[in-house]
Amino acid sequence: MRKSILRFVFVLSAVAIVVLSACKGGVKDADIEKAVTEKISAASADVTDASATVKDGVVTVNGTFKDDASKAAFETTVKAIPGVQSVVNNSTVAPAPMPAPVIVAADDPLTKGVADATKDFPGVKADVKDGVITLTGDIKRSSLPTLMKGLNTLKPKKIENKLTIK
């Protein structure tokens, strides 16, 4: 009985040593880093100045992604690489591009354009000051969209509509 217990303990110990040594022989950091570098090359449209380091299966990613979605997708891709224990994502997201500036017409050309746009609407008076068109007078409901469309093409800062609709 005692011999069978000793044999059991010995076999169990041998199995444990084999299993533990197999776990240590997993994927090397250099192999993981090579795989991550390939993923960076594949994602070159989404990231700039990208780099990655690997230590004990922990991947640290640096770079600038075009948006949050591509940053998250890349992190998910890296986590799927065999041997990766975790990902430290130190990358950033590029700032959104600035919108195009609004071009506002100067008062003199704007005044001439307003005069042309309102000439077909005899009950409408228009004044221009600091890029703002102020409309007064009377207009038919059916004519209002045509007038407003014509005035908006002149790119004023604002159109103050004080017209009385007939």
Side-chain angles (χ1 to χ4, degrees):
M1 176 78 169
R2 186 175 168 117
K3 283 185 178 184
S4 63
I5 292 175
L6 285 175
R7 282 186 193 152
F8 177 74
V9 170
F10 178 75
V11 170
L12 186 63
S13 298
V15 169
I17 290 171
V18 170
V19 169
L20 289 176
S21 65
C23 289
K24 283 188 174 182
V27 181
K28 295 179 182 176
D29 287 346
D31 295 336
I32 296 171
E33 191 166 335
K34 181 180 176 189
V36 172
T37 302
E38 290 171 1
K39 300 294 182 186
I40 289 172
S41 295
S44 62
D46 296 335
V47 65
T48 56
D49 300 326
S51 65
T53 57
V54 182
K55 181 163 169 82
D56 299 328
V58 177
V59 179
T60 302
V61 179
N62 295 298
T64 304
F65 285 86
K66 70 177 185 177
D67 55 29
D68 286 319
S70 59
K71 178 180 173 181
F74 186 77
E75 184 173 339
T76 301
T77 301
V78 171
K79 285 180 180 178
I81 296 172
V84 172
Q85 300 299 315
S86 64
V87 177
V88 177
N89 197 341
N90 292 334
S91 59
T92 59
V93 175
M98 296 295 292
V102 176
I103 299 170
V104 177
D107 281 351
D108 287 340
L110 186 58
T111 302
K112 291 176 185 173
V114 169
D116 286 342
T118 58
K119 70 181 178 193
D120 295 331
F121 306 95
V124 175
K125 290 185 177 183
D127 294 316
V128 178
K129 183 173 181 185
D130 297 327
V132 177
I133 301 171
T134 304
L135 301 172
T136 56
D138 300 324
I139 191 167
K140 293 180 183 176
R141 182 175 302 277
S142 61
S143 300
L144 183 60
T146 306
L147 173 63
M148 296 306 283
K149 182 177 177 183
L151 292 174
N152 279 316
T153 60
L154 300 174
K155 298 185 179 183
K157 279 186 189 176
K158 182 178 176 183
I159 299 175
E160 291 185 4
N161 184 353
K162 297 180 181 180
L163 293 169
T164 303
I165 299 178
K166 295 182 188 178

